[in-house]
Amino acid sequence: MDLQDPLESPPPPVTEAEAEALLRAYWGLTGRASVIACERDANFRVAGTPGHVLKISNPAEPAQDTNFQTEALLWVAAQDPALPVPRVIAALDGRYEVAVPLSDGRRAVARVLGWVAGAPLARAGFAPGMAEDIGSVLARLGCALRGFAHPAAGHRLQWDIRHALDLRPMLVPGQEDLAAELDGFAARVAPVLPGLRRQVVHNDMNHHNIVVDPADPGRIAGVLDFGDMVETALICDVAVAAAYLITHDPDPVAPVARMVAAYHRITPLLPAETALLRDLIVARLVTSIVISETRARRYPGNAAYILRNTPAMRDAMARFAALPRAEVTARIEAALSPTAPCGTASA
């Protein structure tokens, strides 16, 4: 999502019947379409075996950004076919992206992805071993994306935590704790982050984007939503995933350390990266709280959806950010072990 709020552009006005007609006309697919809730796009689940997802991008989204997601999914499928990510389905004419007219006169890019069966982790609950599986899958996904380049990879996102200082104008009274963390980010993180390894990363491993196997709830069956993908510091991707683990243990550091250790066994983290991890995790919490609360004030009719992760983020701030920084870093680093790296991201 760009720094200009995409909610200013209404989502594509597509009905379920219109979605089904698009699927028949361009993909030759049949099946009942049902709406999937989304802030900015029009997404539909298409019933069937194996099932599909029709994604119609917001017309305000640059076509290059949509293509960034398409090409990344194709790249990942070629690099690591066993990774549980959606597969892009070609239209009848071989295209992966189809520009379609909308009833309001605008045009939008439509794509079809394979349906990933399972239950979102946010609903399924946190099973033993899940923190480790998140770390392993995230590292594999980072390995698969290593070397991927695209003209849109460097686009500027609010959700890219290396830009956390851009949140300052959005702060309101009552968020003084968040302002203090941003001051710490300016002093400790901002001068160092530009020199760390960079690559394209998923950047949104939250528990609504992780699908688990109901028969084996400790195993990830799918990773969804590449809409916040960006080229940024590699360690930011780890911090994002870690931020959603804090509320899953009486000890808020324990699941983070387990996840980071599993990641590190596949992609070794450098000392300069782990030294920033505590501050980057908190920066993700701050980012989530500030952006969500700002949008909820601006779009009260959609507040329930916008704020769905905010209580957990507030709880994580209360439980994690208050811990001594040096202690958090020492515990995470103590969990790391010798590794067999998958490759090297560029500095």
Side-chain angles (χ1 to χ4, degrees), residues 20 23 29-34 44-53 115:
E20 292 168 4
L23 286 162
L29 296 174
T30 59
R32 183 173 178 79
S34 55
F44 300 86
R45 178 179 179 178
V46 185
T49 304
H52 299 89
V53 177
W115 177 256

Side-chain angles (χ1 to χ4, degrees), residues 219-302:
R219 185 184 72 83
I220 294 176
V223 177
L224 310 179
D225 195 351
F226 284 64
D228 283 344
M229 188 173 53
V230 68
E231 181 183 322
T232 190
L234 181 66
I235 192 63
C236 289
D237 201 31
V238 182
V240 169
Y244 293 94
L245 297 173
I246 292 168
T247 59
H248 292 286
D249 194 292
D251 174 0
V253 182
V256 171
R258 294 197 302 270
M259 185 278 289
V260 175
Y263 185 98
H264 180 76
R265 284 193 288 271
I266 297 172
T267 298
L269 296 172
L270 306 177
E273 294 169 330
T274 56
L276 297 185
L277 194 49
R278 179 272 174 198
D279 286 335
L280 289 170
I281 292 170
V282 174
R284 174 63 180 204
L285 300 176
V286 172
T287 298
S288 181
I289 292 167
V290 173
I291 291 176
S292 298
E293 292 185 354
T294 299
R295 286 181 173 170
R297 290 192 296 270
R298 189 169 186 179
Y299 305 100
N302 201 30

Side-chain angles (χ1 to χ4, degrees), residues 175-192:
Q175 294 181 330
E176 287 76 15
D177 58 330
L178 309 185
E181 289 293 348
L182 291 179
D183 290 342
F185 185 97
R188 295 185 296 271
V189 180
V192 180

Side-chain angles (χ1 to χ4, degrees), residues 28-91:
L29 296 174
T30 59
R32 183 173 178 79
S34 55
V35 173
I36 301 173
C38 184
E39 286 183 81
R40 56 180 175 171
D41 304 328
N43 295 334
F44 300 86
R45 178 179 179 178
V46 185
T49 304
H52 299 89
V53 177
L54 172 65
K55 298 178 67 68
I56 304 175
S57 299
N58 193 300
E61 179 172 282
Q64 183 172 255
D65 289 358
T66 306
N67 183 253
F68 177 36
Q69 299 171 41
T70 302
E71 294 297 331
L73 287 171
L74 293 170
W75 176 279
V76 168
Q79 298 299 314
D80 188 348
L83 259 177
V85 300
R87 297 296 186 254
V88 189
I89 308 300

Side-chain angles (χ1 to χ4, degrees), residues 100-327:
V100 297
L102 302 176
S103 60
D104 61 4
R106 298 180 296 169
R107 294 181 68 82
V109 175
R111 297 173 296 153
V112 171
L113 306 180
W115 177 256
V116 178
L121 178 59
R123 292 206 309 263
F126 208 77
M130 180 51 65
E132 291 86 344
D133 207 33
I134 289 173
S136 297
V137 171
L138 184 67
R140 284 180 58 200
L141 183 53
C143 288
L145 285 167
R146 200 148 299 154
F148 174 63
H150 191 278
H155 63 168
R156 193 175 182 89
L157 299 178
Q158 283 182 315
W159 290 101
D160 181 356
I161 52 179
R162 69 191 171 109
H163 301 309
L165 298 180
D166 291 338
L167 300 171
R168 278 177 165 163
M170 301 166 66
L171 295 176
V172 297
Q175 294 181 330
E176 287 76 15
D177 58 330
L178 309 185
E181 289 293 348
L182 291 179
D183 290 342
F185 185 97
R188 295 185 296 271
V189 180
V192 180
L193 205 57
L196 299 183
R197 295 182 291 177
R198 293 166 55 95
Q199 68 164 78
V200 172
V201 296
H202 181 270
N203 193 46
D204 196 15
M205 193 71 105
N206 77 66
H207 297 177
H208 295 275
N209 292 339
I210 297 172
V211 174
V212 300
D213 182 350
D216 184 6
R219 185 184 72 83
I220 294 176
V223 177
L224 310 179
D225 195 351
F226 284 64
D228 283 344
M229 188 173 53
V230 68
E231 181 183 322
T232 190
L234 181 66
I235 192 63
C236 289
D237 201 31
V238 182
V240 169
Y244 293 94
L245 297 173
I246 292 168
T247 59
H248 292 286
D249 194 292
D251 174 0
V253 182
V256 171
R258 294 197 302 270
M259 185 278 289
V260 175
Y263 185 98
H264 180 76
R265 284 193 288 271
I266 297 172
T267 298
L269 296 172
L270 306 177
E273 294 169 330
T274 56
L276 297 185
L277 194 49
R278 179 272 174 198
D279 286 335
L280 289 170
I281 292 170
V282 174
R284 174 63 180 204
L285 300 176
V286 172
T287 298
S288 181
I289 292 167
V290 173
I291 291 176
S292 298
E293 292 185 354
T294 299
R295 286 181 173 170
R297 290 192 296 270
R298 189 169 186 179
Y299 305 100
N302 201 30
Y305 180 83
I306 294 170
L307 295 173
R308 67 194 186 281
N309 289 325
T310 303
M313 296 294 99
R314 279 288 184 185
D315 178 63
M317 279 290 295
R319 301 176 69 236
F320 184 82
L323 296 174
R325 180 175 294 100
E327 175 188 321

